[in-house]
Amino acid sequence: MGKSFKARNGELEMKSLHYFTKILANCLLLISFACAAMPNIQNQSLTTSKGCLDKPELSLDSQNVKLVVLGEQMLTESGIVSQSKSIGYAFEAKANQKLTYKMDKNVCIWIFTPDNQLLNTGVLPTTGKYIIQVSAPQGSTTVDLSMGLDVAQTSPPSTPNSSAVTSAPSPENIPNSAPPANTTATRISRSNFPKASCGDPLPTNPNDYPVDFYPVYLPDSEANLQIAQRFCQDALSKRRKDSRTRAVQVAAFTSKQRAIEFRDFLNSETSGASIAPSTRIQNKP
């Protein structure tokens, strides 16, 4: 009797242990499947419709950050950006000032607050130094970025990763003539000169090539050369590639819009400034 009871009891214990082991294995399988199916949210970045990430993947090199002074007049800066290269603009601002910016192309923009947090509104929360980081969602491009603080406007300020549409005419439709009053010539101030060089430098990253440069010329004369060198010390007399005639090359820009603005500025100081067709540099020298 005792042996039969013990045998049955042992058999019952073995069945219970087998049943428990089976349940445990099924639970582990379900947990493993759930973990494999669930995305790693902490390491996943959301992508906007423009192909820009919520946070930049690239760290901004301090050598590619330019210090600018922003005010009520829009300041325009140009630079070359790509998927592998970002440029930045640092500026000082006070709490509750409103940041406005406009860009001419589909690029990615992130704005960092003084405490290194991403800004998602046009109103600046604290006093200190802010940094605007710009890159391209794909390829390489030259971008013109206009920025200002407390700019009087009727439209709402831009927010990160959104572009503002302006009514400015296309650069291709603007003739090589002196500008009427209140045009882009007002964007460049005489207080910014003289400069050792007024144009854009060659890109240092081989991936930014090919690149187009738009030369700005004055008619060739000793007087025009002296005027040009008062603003741009590296201005020189040379033979133009398009007409094979001599002229004073004052500067060359990777952005046609910047070349137009500089030409208009020169025409407000003298006359005859013009933009030559672009020259393409295929590879890094």
Side-chain angles (χ1 to χ4, degrees), residues 59-175:
S59 298
L60 187 58
D61 191 336
S62 59
Q63 295 181 349
N64 294 329
V65 179
K66 181 177 181 180
L67 182 63
V68 295
V69 178
L70 301 186
E72 296 180 1
Q73 297 294 327
M74 296 288 279
L75 173 69
T76 301
E77 294 285 344
S78 295
I80 299 176
V81 296
S82 65
Q83 288 179 301
S84 59
K85 176 189 174 184
S86 293
I87 59 175
Y89 300 101
F91 63 93
E92 295 283 346
K94 296 180 179 180
N96 298 320
Q97 283 191 295
K98 294 182 179 180
L99 172 66
T100 301
Y101 64 85
K102 297 178 181 180
M103 48 195 171
D104 64 338
K105 294 180 180 178
N106 179 19
V107 295
C108 302
I109 286 187
W110 302 273
I111 302 170
F112 290 91
T113 63
D115 55 354
N116 204 33
Q117 298 297 313
L118 280 170
L119 184 71
N120 56 8
T121 177
V123 180
L124 306 183
T126 59
T127 298
K129 180 181 289 185
Y130 290 78
I131 294 179
I132 300 177
Q133 181 172 345
V134 188
S135 73
Q138 58 183 359
S140 175
T141 185
T142 299
V143 61
D144 294 322
L145 178 65
S146 298
M147 305 161 281
L149 290 174
D150 293 335
V151 177
Q153 58 181 8
T154 56
S155 59
S158 301
T159 55
N161 287 329
S162 67
S163 58
V165 179
T166 65
S167 59
S170 170
E172 288 75 10
N173 298 328
I174 302 178

Side-chain angles (χ1 to χ4, degrees), residues 26-36:
N26 289 335
C27 289
L28 291 174
L29 182 61
L30 288 174
I31 292 173
S32 175
F33 176 79
C35 291

Side-chain angles (χ1 to χ4, degrees), residues 8-284:
R8 290 181 180 179
N9 189 36
E11 183 181 354
L12 181 60
E13 288 178 353
M14 289 296 294
K15 288 183 178 181
S16 298
L17 180 60
H18 177 73
Y19 182 74
F20 174 78
T21 302
K22 188 175 181 180
I23 292 177
L24 180 61
N26 289 335
C27 289
L28 291 174
L29 182 61
L30 288 174
I31 292 173
S32 175
F33 176 79
C35 291
M38 184 179 297
N40 189 348
I41 297 177
Q42 291 181 345
N43 296 328
Q44 193 176 41
S45 297
L46 298 178
T47 305
T48 68
S49 59
K50 289 177 18 173
C52 299
L53 299 176
D54 285 348
K55 296 180 180 180
E57 290 183 322
L58 298 176
S59 298
L60 187 58
D61 191 336
S62 59
Q63 295 181 349
N64 294 329
V65 179
K66 181 177 181 180
L67 182 63
V68 295
V69 178
L70 301 186
E72 296 180 1
Q73 297 294 327
M74 296 288 279
L75 173 69
T76 301
E77 294 285 344
S78 295
I80 299 176
V81 296
S82 65
Q83 288 179 301
S84 59
K85 176 189 174 184
S86 293
I87 59 175
Y89 300 101
F91 63 93
E92 295 283 346
K94 296 180 179 180
N96 298 320
Q97 283 191 295
K98 294 182 179 180
L99 172 66
T100 301
Y101 64 85
K102 297 178 181 180
M103 48 195 171
D104 64 338
K105 294 180 180 178
N106 179 19
V107 295
C108 302
I109 286 187
W110 302 273
I111 302 170
F112 290 91
T113 63
D115 55 354
N116 204 33
Q117 298 297 313
L118 280 170
L119 184 71
N120 56 8
T121 177
V123 180
L124 306 183
T126 59
T127 298
K129 180 181 289 185
Y130 290 78
I131 294 179
I132 300 177
Q133 181 172 345
V134 188
S135 73
Q138 58 183 359
S140 175
T141 185
T142 299
V143 61
D144 294 322
L145 178 65
S146 298
M147 305 161 281
L149 290 174
D150 293 335
V151 177
Q153 58 181 8
T154 56
S155 59
S158 301
T159 55
N161 287 329
S162 67
S163 58
V165 179
T166 65
S167 59
S170 170
E172 288 75 10
N173 298 328
I174 302 178
N176 279 323
S177 60
N182 299 324
T183 61
T184 55
T186 59
R187 297 185 183 181
I188 302 177
S189 171
R190 294 190 66 182
S191 62
N192 296 331
F193 301 95
K195 292 183 178 181
S197 178
C198 298
D200 294 328
L202 286 169
T204 57
N205 189 343
N207 295 327
D208 292 335
Y209 290 82
V211 61
D212 293 328
F213 277 89
Y214 297 86
V216 181
Y217 289 103
L218 283 173
D220 188 45
S221 70
E222 186 62 31
N224 280 340
L225 180 60
Q226 292 179 4
I227 290 173
Q229 290 179 343
R230 285 208 305 265
F231 297 105
C232 312
Q233 296 172 358
D234 62 345
L236 75 162
S237 176
K238 62 179 295 185
R239 194 173 298 278
R240 293 177 58 151
K241 291 185 177 181
D242 57 332
S243 63
R244 306 306 302 168
T245 59
R246 295 199 68 84
V248 176
Q249 181 172 325
V250 191
F253 299 90
T254 56
S255 162
K256 188 170 185 179
Q257 181 61 40
R258 285 198 69 193
I260 290 171
E261 292 175 5
F262 188 71
R263 177 208 65 193
D264 293 349
F265 168 75
L266 289 178
N267 279 330
S268 69
E269 299 292 328
T270 180
S271 61
S274 62
I275 303 173
S278 63
T279 298
R280 172 158 292 189
I281 301 177
Q282 290 289 345
N283 301 300
K284 185 179 184 299

